Structure formats: structure tokens, C-alpha cells
Amino acid sequence: MEIDQIINNIFPLPELSKFNLTQHISEISHPKGFCLMEANKVVSYIYFLKKGIVRAYASTENNDITFWFGTEGEPVVSMKSYVDEKPGYESIELLEDCDFYVLETSKLKILFNEDIYIANWGRKFAERELVKTEELIISRQYKTALERYKDLLKEKPYLLQRVQLGHIASYLGITQVSLSRIRAEMK
């Protein structure tokens, strides 16, 4: 996915503002398995997935808990680092070889002060990330594992072809055995 489309999906910008923003964006690639962000570290960049898939997870003593998958066109960001310049909670692992657009947070914040359109784009970006987090919390608190699985099938069915079932089960908050049982019952 091209950067102009990603920017416009967040919030359309006038051409001059988009030009000024894209002047600070570069491209990078990393292989499958690479850790793009580590928990408890400040991340000074915002990434936008051009190609590939990533997962966000938190580690416990016994396992990793996946709470988000990012695919083409989506931002990959530690909101705690972005907003407060403090270490984030999550680690981000690449599940495929990935190509990213990357933007240094400090440069973006300078642009916020120089261009009201970019400042509004940044506000819309943060609002969208907040809504995603809210939806995740509500899903985890009020829906059954079966309902969460059905939502996944409806909203992101391609994940089942691209992501290990263990990560899917973790994302749903269940064991892999429970996921297999749910999948068998739905056939």
C-alpha cells in the first residue's frame, strides 16, 4: 500500500501538507521474526505497514499474550511512547517479511506546530488508535471466545491463512485446544 493512501485513510491532507509530511517519511524492510519494538523501551518512530503482517504482544512468566495484528496500511505505534515519550507496554514481532514507511515522532511533532492540517491529521491518527483500543477492551470484557472468533472471521478472515493458530488463540484469549474445538463446532 502506498503512503499517500495510508495518509488519506487516516485523514485527507491538502497536497502541500501531504508533501511536507512525506518529506520526513522513509522506507525500511525487516525479515520475518524481527522484533520491531520491545516492551519497556521508548520507541521514537511511527511505522506504517506497506507490506506484511505484525503482532503486538505482552509477555508474562508463562507465555506471550497477543492483543493485536497489524496488516497492510495500518500504523504500528507504541502510543505510550508517542504520547508521553515513555517506554511502551508492547513488543511487536514481524510474522512475515515486512516493508514499512517510518516517521520519526519528534519530526512529526515539529510539523504539528507548523501546519494545522498535519496537526489535525495527528489528532485523527490518535483518535483512531484510541477507538481500536476501546473496541479491543470491550470485546475482551463482554464477548465470548466464540463471538470473538466470529468477529475475527468477519473482519479479518485472511489472518487464518497468514498467522499461526497459537497466535490466533492467544489473541482470542483462549488455548489452542479451545480454538480447535470452536473451529470444529462451526463446520
Side-chain angles (χ1 to χ4, degrees), residues 35 50 61 74 81 88 116 128 131 138 145 152 160 180 183 185:
C35 185
K50 180 178 183 180
E61 284 184 28
E74 292 190 75
S81 291
I116 189 66
R128 293 180 83 200
V131 169
I138 290 169
L152 180 73
L160 293 173
S180 295
R183 294 179 75 198
E185 288 172 11

Side-chain angles (χ1 to χ4, degrees), residues 54-119:
V54 302
R55 76 176 180 114
Y57 67 95
S59 295
T60 67
E61 284 184 28
N62 300 326
N63 58 0
D64 294 339
I65 300 169
T66 299
F67 57 86
W68 177 76
F69 294 105
T71 54
E72 287 83 2
E74 292 190 75
V76 181
V77 61
S78 167
M79 287 304 287
K80 188 157 177 101
S81 291
Y82 173 72
V83 173
D84 292 333
E85 297 178 12
K86 292 184 178 176
Y89 307 103
E90 66 277 279
S91 293
I92 305 288
E93 174 189 16
L94 280 56
L95 300 179
E96 298 176 349
D97 293 344
C98 292
D99 298 329
F100 296 95
Y101 299 104
V102 61
L103 173 60
E104 194 172 338
T105 306
S106 62
K107 290 183 180 175
L108 179 59
K109 289 181 179 181
I110 291 168
L111 289 171
F112 289 165
N113 291 323
E114 295 174 351
D115 186 321
I116 189 66
Y117 297 107
I118 295 174

